[in-house]
Amino acid sequence: MLHELPFTTTLMYDPARKKEPSPSYQTERDACLALFAKWNEADQLNYVEHILSRMCHYQHGHINAYLKPMLQRDFITLLPTKGLDHVAENILSYLDAKSLCRAERVCKEWSRVISEGMLWKKLIERNVRTDSLWRGLAERKGWIKYLFIPRPGVTLRQHKFYRELFPKIMKDIEAIENNWRTGNHNLQRINCRSENSKGVYCLQYDDDKIVSGLRDNTIKIWNRSTLQCCKVLTGHTGSVLCLQYDDKVIISGSSDSTVRVWDVNTGDMVNTLIHHCEAVLHLRFNNGMMVTCSKDRSIAVWDMTSPTEIALRRVLVGHRAAVNVVDFDEKYIVSASGDRTIKVWNTSTCEFVRTLNGHKRGIACLQYRDRLVVSGSSDNSIRLWDIECGTCLRILEGHEELVRCIRFDSKRIVSGAYDGKIKVWDLQAALDIRAQTNSLCLKTLVEHTGRVFRLQFDEFQIVSSSHDDTILIWDFLNCSQKEELTAPQSCSMVQGNHHNNSGSSSGSGSSMGGGGGGGGNGVGLGNNANQNHLHNNSNNNSHNLQNDELSD
């Protein structure tokens, strides 16, 4: 039988239990310290290393606890004492909001550096410079005047103002995102009321105006503040199917087969390009280059020197049906057709690169940016493509009829269709192969009473047009007003000068205006009930795009 042994414990070294040093220890210690002080730094380090190597583990732990606070330096507090406040401010200016909030609670000195350095103001300014949502909020809410170098007569606020402004901005951003998810919006309606025929085929907007192309052969410009028509451009002899403008010109394409150039300020027609032999269905221009496409199955690439000097560079052929839409950047030109295909061309050489196959019927709309192409089709679906490898990344289904218009930004896709509905999709989820298909459509908006022909959007709004002869503005920022605002119509007519020169060359710079990628706005419809400009092949196979049976 085993006898129980008494349980013993070994106590770790406890500095609080130290005994008073003996006189002999004190004498020897003082002698060692005197010798230590005479040695150079290298000898001192060597001596300490020898001592440490002869110590046990718990002694090492005590030494470590003793050294830690000696090695930690509050450099933010020390820098101002050396006259280096600006260095401390610059270091803390790299913090994000959560870290900056924590930093100002560290101590009074850190809080003083943050306050005197106006670091909350600098954080807001950094976000405004780099994020279009912040920039738009700053302009719409009016607090941009207190940022950067203020305008004459505007004085900068104290640090407290910016410290309190930041959470208000975050609350606004959260509200906007929630409004997009829930579909909460304030609706404004512009009744175009065309006398001859109704339908708004294309549009582009900015903060001051909406430029729209109509089935009645006119381009109408609407004031954003009053929602009144302030100018009408006449000259086309067919429906205006596509347009794009910048700070110098409006360029439009029509079922009359012409491309016309207008002065954006005066509304005067300054050039007419005659090349396509059938309706011009879509166009895009940027950085001195323009691409147009037509029902005649061809794509034309133009060099633009000035509004009056636009020269044809190359004609691209390969589609077997009407080319309904084009888009491009410095790398690729992308075109989509009623022949069910998307074709990719090299922008600089205009050589064919590849074909994207997958849609089961003709393709009506498309947008291209970076590696992503998003297309909408008469098969009622939306497809996301990787342009580099030509693969389909995702199919979005939900529309009940032809998907006529589509735009996307970094967060969402917005589509409009002949079912009269506008759908908002989660782009990031759509690009995630793990995301469930039924979670991709965030909201369906139903206000149009006819086919949706065109839309653009930004972080705060969607602007859409329809066969119902209206332009709707869906405002997700200012949702307090639930009543619908309807615009009266008041127009000043501008008669365009008719130039029939096919023109050499062009003008213009980058596109501006609203939404989701901005740029050219095209549709593929006719100017009377018997015409069909969203065509496929000349025969009437089942995969042809639906005819636009529009009535006056």
Side-chain angles (χ1 to χ4, degrees), residues 527-547:
N527 66 335
N528 62 52
N530 297 320
Q531 286 182 308
N532 170 25
H533 291 320
L534 272 178
H535 262 294
N536 195 347
N537 304 351
S538 57
N539 59 24
N540 291 319
N541 293 337
S542 61
H543 58 269
N544 285 357
L545 285 173
Q546 299 174 17
N547 287 342

Side-chain angles (χ1 to χ4, degrees), residues 271-408:
N271 202 348
T272 300
L273 307 179
I274 301 175
H275 163 74
H276 290 290
C277 57
E278 293 190 68
V280 179
L281 302 181
H282 201 252
L283 64 85
R284 285 278 287 113
F285 72 87
N286 192 22
N287 292 331
M289 174 178 164
M290 178 170 67
V291 181
T292 60
C293 62
S294 171
K295 185 183 173 183
D296 64 13
R297 306 183 183 186
S298 74
I299 301 159
V301 182
W302 308 79
D303 290 317
M304 305 173 66
T305 305
S306 73
T308 56
E309 297 178 66
I310 304 177
L312 182 64
R313 182 203 303 179
R314 187 81 174 265
V315 177
L316 310 181
V317 294
H319 281 294
R320 295 177 291 103
V323 185
N324 291 316
V325 58
V326 289
D327 205 353
F328 75 92
D329 63 9
E330 65 280 355
K331 189 172 185 179
Y332 294 126
I333 299 170
V334 185
S335 59
S337 167
D339 63 10
R340 308 179 182 182
T341 69
I342 297 170
K343 291 189 180 293
V344 182
W345 319 77
N346 183 285
T347 300
S348 57
T349 66
C350 294
E351 297 298 321
F352 172 74
V353 177
R354 66 179 57 89
T355 298
L356 310 183
N357 288 298
H359 279 295
K360 295 178 173 57
R361 299 185 69 180
I363 301 165
C365 56
L366 167 150
Q367 184 186 346
Y368 157 57
R369 190 177 69 188
D370 299 326
R371 289 183 62 136
L372 183 62
V373 174
V374 181
S375 59
S377 167
S378 182
D379 62 16
N380 305 349
S381 75
I382 297 164
R383 287 181 180 249
L384 283 64
W385 311 80
D386 184 325
I387 196 171
E388 295 293 350
C389 55
T391 57
C392 180
L393 305 173
R394 173 77 76 166
I395 302 174
L396 305 178
E397 296 179 316
H399 280 295
E400 298 164 7
E401 295 186 48
L402 178 150
V403 182
R404 165 51 93 73
C405 48
I406 198 155
R407 307 300 291 172
F408 71 88

Side-chain angles (χ1 to χ4, degrees), residues 117-133:
M118 302 289 282
L119 297 192
W120 283 104
K121 174 178 179 287
K122 291 177 181 177
L123 177 59
I124 294 171
E125 289 173 342
R126 187 165 75 239
N127 287 333
V128 169
R129 281 193 299 267
T130 58
D131 191 310
S132 57
L133 177 56

